[in-house]
Amino acid sequence: MAFPKISSSKQTPCEACPLRKMPTFRDFTQEELDFVSSFKTGELTLNAGTTVLSEGAQSAHLFTVLSGWAFRYKMLDDGRRQILNYAMPGDLVGLQATLMAEMQHSVEALSSLTLCVFERERLGHLYRDQPDLAFDITWIAAQEERILDEHLLSIGRRTAMERAAYLLAFLTQRGRASGLFRDDPTVVPLTQQHVADTLGLSIVHTNKTLKKLAERGLLRWGERGCEILDEEGLLKAAGWEGMPESKRRFI
Amino acid sequence: MAFPKISSSKQTPCEACPLRKMPTFRDFTQEELDFVSSFKTGELTLNAGTTVLSEGAQSAHLFTVLSGWAFRYKMLDDGRRQILNYAMPGDLVGLQATLMAEMQHSVEALSSLTLCVFERERLGHLYRDQPDLAFDITWIAAQEERILDEHLLSIGRRTAMERAAYLLAFLTQRGRASGLFRDDPTVVPLTQQHVADTLGLSIVHTNKTLKKLAERGLLRWGERGCEILDEEGLLKAAGWEGMPESKRRFI
DNA sequence: CGTGCTATTGAGCAGTTTCAAAAAAGGTGG
DNA sequence: CCACCTTTTTTGAAACTGCTCAATAGCACG
């Protein structure tokens, strides 16, 4: 198995970053752009199923998802796995290992994944010289916290049906805001095992729950994942209002 | 009902902050201390059961817990409640409302509670002039994220018994690190309803689960809350290693 | 054509919930 | 200190949701 390498050449210069053109992300000043450009030291491309970071790892790198899907998870000793959240273009990965001693969760590529690589050491410069970017990093962390709050509410208090509907509506909203559905049909690249491990349900019950949602015409399980047919219906089935939208920050 | 007022006089000047003397918190430079001192605009003291911030609120303030316990929670329309996390001395409250448009969760005092009050507007100065403090705020947000990750794992994948043991071990560790158990017996000021709403269980099942833990001699439900008798035993029952310890940051 | 995932389905079981009610603990005003 | 009222803790029993076990089918890959 070939070890993934970090290419030092920037396939995608920050000036031409495709994320920057999207309406959901905030604009940068030229100075910020220059800084981020010098902060970025390379790119990393991984296949689906590859581990990006492992629990306990002390990574020297901080990443931003440039394209593709990933997910964060934790495992118990006996193999029980809980998926904590999904990372999409613009999301920061590995901030924990950068700020604290080590990662307390693992990260795996859900699809083919490209990451921008930043040097951990230079984060201090960012805080010293780019207060607005520093603020953005805090903003991103607070945003993640918000999402985790909602997931916690979901797993703790929603029924299996509501949970499943919530998760898919959530991924749809977030995926669209991240430009992941360019090609028309809205397909989230999950297996039912991923769904089960996110919802805190067994795979059998997850299957039966998804089947009911499919019978209601809200989704269709198909080629390489879940196709969303009725986002409104999912939101209603979840009893969820959706995420408040605002300009997203990213680095 | 008297509306709680923010006293503009600082009962506790930052120079004499009791948290600063504790070994778990990091030291400040004189400059940082001066800044924080000027950042703090008052103190707020609330009774147990009082709401600190409500979901949807746009608070002009940011708080740090100076003494006492609080908890964050979200509710569904039909009244189902999920407690997300607990706030203890040194913890930041209301960062979400400060960074984004509004709070997405509520905060309530669990015991008598005293908060340091900061002005939202001045946060910009902090990021501009005090990069180390800005870094600390990000660190605090990342730390909260870590805790939420662990809670998510717990609710999603641990059994009722494990969950309960985890929660109480967690509160014990964190409470001790926050100096909340000065008076000897280790008592966490919770009702079983709080425990139930944190674990995502019904109150009836929570009661039966706690009873089993009590029979094992791990805890005792008593005067105003849960008395911890065997922290090691709880950790073992939870299958949890405890939180990695490090110098905590705070403002 | 065998191997290994992923998705399905059925059946019985276990952990949790809901309903109902009683006992215990705390707080308040007299 | 007592009577009364409210909140919290306990218990029992019945109903369900979701879990485990087991087996089958569909596909992709080598």
Side-chain angles (χ1 to χ4, degrees):
Chain A
M1 170 171 125
F3 199 79
K5 295 191 195 74
I6 296 178
S7 67
S8 52
S9 66
K10 302 178 200 172
Q11 287 88 340
T12 308
C14 295
E15 298 75 33
C17 178
L19 300 183
R20 221 162 288 286
K21 295 175 190 133
M22 295 177 49
T24 35
F25 291 100
R26 87 161 174 99
D27 293 326
F28 270 24
T29 63
Q30 184 59 44
E31 188 192 346
E32 287 168 342
L33 190 55
D34 291 344
F35 183 91
V36 172
S37 190
S38 76
F39 190 30
K40 175 173 172 179
T41 60
E43 259 172 46
L44 180 59
T45 298
L46 303 168
N47 290 327
T50 313
T51 295
V52 180
L53 288 168
S54 299
E55 192 169 339
Q58 305 175 38
S59 173
H61 302 299
L62 178 64
F63 306 98
T64 285
V65 177
L66 184 56
S67 71
W69 303 73
F71 64 93
R72 306 194 299 116
Y73 67 95
K74 282 175 84 84
M75 296 224 334
L76 294 174
D77 294 335
D78 61 3
R80 283 175 284 178
R81 178 176 76 166
Q82 177 65 40
I83 295 183
L84 307 165
N85 196 17
Y86 294 80
M88 303 173 205
D91 285 338
L92 218 45
V93 168
L95 185 61
Q96 242 180 49
T98 306
L99 300 185
M100 346 290 256
E102 56 180 44
M103 295 287 288
Q104 293 283 308
H105 63 262
S106 304
V107 183
E108 182 179 322
L110 187 58
S111 66
S112 170
L113 182 73
T114 301
L115 303 164
C116 298
V117 182
F118 306 109
E119 286 301 324
R120 169 185 193 156
E121 271 68 34
R122 310 214 34 212
L123 194 65
H125 292 31
L126 187 151
Y127 273 81
R128 208 167 315 121
D129 303 336
Q130 300 290 332
D132 289 347
L133 293 180
F135 185 90
D136 285 354
I137 289 183
T138 308
W139 189 95
I140 290 168
Q143 175 68 22
E144 177 78 8
E145 195 182 309
R146 250 192 197 192
I147 291 171
L148 294 178
D149 284 352
E150 191 72 47
H151 288 189
L152 216 34
L153 171 63
S154 204
I155 297 196
R157 289 306 186 197
R158 284 196 245 251
T159 65
M161 194 72 78
E162 291 169 335
R163 275 186 236 186
Y166 159 73
L167 175 62
L168 294 167
F170 166 79
L171 291 172
T172 306
Q173 287 203 351
R174 201 121 202 296
R176 188 177 39 247
S178 306
L180 284 165
F181 302 129
R182 290 292 157 67
D183 25 13
D184 223 10
T186 309
V187 176
V188 184
L190 294 168
T191 68
Q192 297 190 359
Q193 184 68 62
H194 290 120
V195 176
D197 287 349
T198 309
L199 302 182
L201 298 171
S202 72
I203 186 164
V204 174
H205 197 63
T206 298
N207 178 278
K208 287 168 183 167
T209 304
L210 289 171
K211 191 184 167 193
K212 282 180 195 161
L213 289 175
E215 280 165 359
R216 287 207 225 164
L218 304 183
L219 56 82
R220 179 166 50 198
W221 209 267
E223 335 83 71
R224 50 198 77 261
C226 177
E227 181 176 354
I228 306 302
L229 300 178
D230 179 359
E231 188 181 341
E232 274 302 316
L234 285 173
L235 283 169
K236 205 146 74 177
W240 185 50
E241 297 176 4
M243 312 203 4
E245 35 196 302
S246 60
K247 281 278 174 186
R248 280 175 62 194
R249 320 294 173 102
F250 83 114
I251 285 187
Chain B
M1 171 172 126
F3 198 82
K5 296 193 195 72
I6 297 176
S7 69
S8 53
S9 66
K10 300 178 200 169
Q11 287 89 339
T12 309
C14 294
E15 297 76 33
C17 180
L19 300 183
R20 219 162 290 287
K21 295 175 192 134
M22 295 176 51
T24 35
F25 292 100
R26 86 160 174 101
D27 293 326
F28 270 25
T29 64
Q30 184 60 43
E31 188 192 347
E32 287 168 342
L33 190 55
D34 291 346
F35 183 92
V36 172
S37 191
S38 76
F39 189 31
K40 175 173 172 179
T41 61
E43 261 174 45
L44 179 60
T45 298
L46 302 167
N47 289 325
T50 313
T51 296
V52 180
L53 288 168
S54 298
E55 191 170 339
Q58 305 175 35
S59 173
H61 303 298
L62 178 64
F63 307 99
T64 284
V65 177
L66 183 57
S67 72
W69 304 72
F71 64 92
R72 307 194 299 116
Y73 66 95
K74 284 175 81 84
M75 298 227 331
L76 294 173
D77 293 336
D78 61 4
R80 282 175 284 178
R81 178 177 77 167
Q82 178 65 41
I83 294 182
L84 307 165
N85 196 15
Y86 293 80
M88 300 172 207
D91 286 339
L92 218 44
V93 169
L95 185 62
Q96 242 181 48
T98 307
L99 299 185
M100 349 287 258
E102 57 179 44
M103 295 288 286
Q104 294 282 309
H105 63 261
S106 304
V107 183
E108 184 178 321
L110 188 57
S111 67
S112 171
L113 183 73
T114 302
L115 303 164
C116 298
V117 183
F118 306 109
E119 286 302 323
R120 169 184 194 156
E121 270 68 32
R122 309 213 35 210
L123 194 65
H125 292 30
L126 187 153
Y127 273 81
R128 208 166 316 120
D129 303 336
Q130 301 290 332
D132 289 347
L133 293 180
F135 185 89
D136 284 353
I137 290 183
T138 309
W139 188 95
I140 290 169
Q143 174 68 21
E144 176 78 8
E145 197 182 308
R146 250 189 196 197
I147 292 171
L148 294 178
D149 285 353
E150 192 72 48
H151 288 189
L152 218 34
L153 171 64
S154 204
I155 298 197
R157 289 305 185 198
R158 284 195 242 251
T159 65
M161 196 72 76
E162 291 169 335
R163 274 186 236 185
Y166 159 74
L167 175 62
L168 293 168
F170 166 78
L171 291 172
T172 305
Q173 288 205 350
R174 203 121 200 296
R176 189 177 37 249
S178 306
L180 284 165
F181 305 130
R182 291 292 158 69
D183 24 14
D184 222 8
T186 308
V187 175
V188 185
L190 293 168
T191 67
Q192 297 190 3
Q193 184 67 63
H194 290 122
V195 176
D197 287 350
T198 310
L199 302 182
L201 297 172
S202 71
I203 186 165
V204 173
H205 198 62
T206 298
N207 178 277
K208 287 167 183 167
T209 304
L210 289 172
K211 191 183 167 193
K212 283 180 195 160
L213 289 175
E215 280 164 0
R216 287 208 225 164
L218 304 182
L219 55 82
R220 178 167 51 197
W221 208 267
E223 335 84 72
R224 48 197 78 260
C226 177
E227 181 176 354
I228 307 301
L229 299 177
D230 180 359
E231 186 180 343
E232 273 304 314
L234 286 173
L235 283 168
K236 205 147 74 178
W240 185 52
E241 298 175 5
M243 312 202 7
E245 34 196 300
S246 60
K247 281 278 175 187
R248 279 175 63 194
R249 320 292 171 106
F250 83 114
I251 284 186

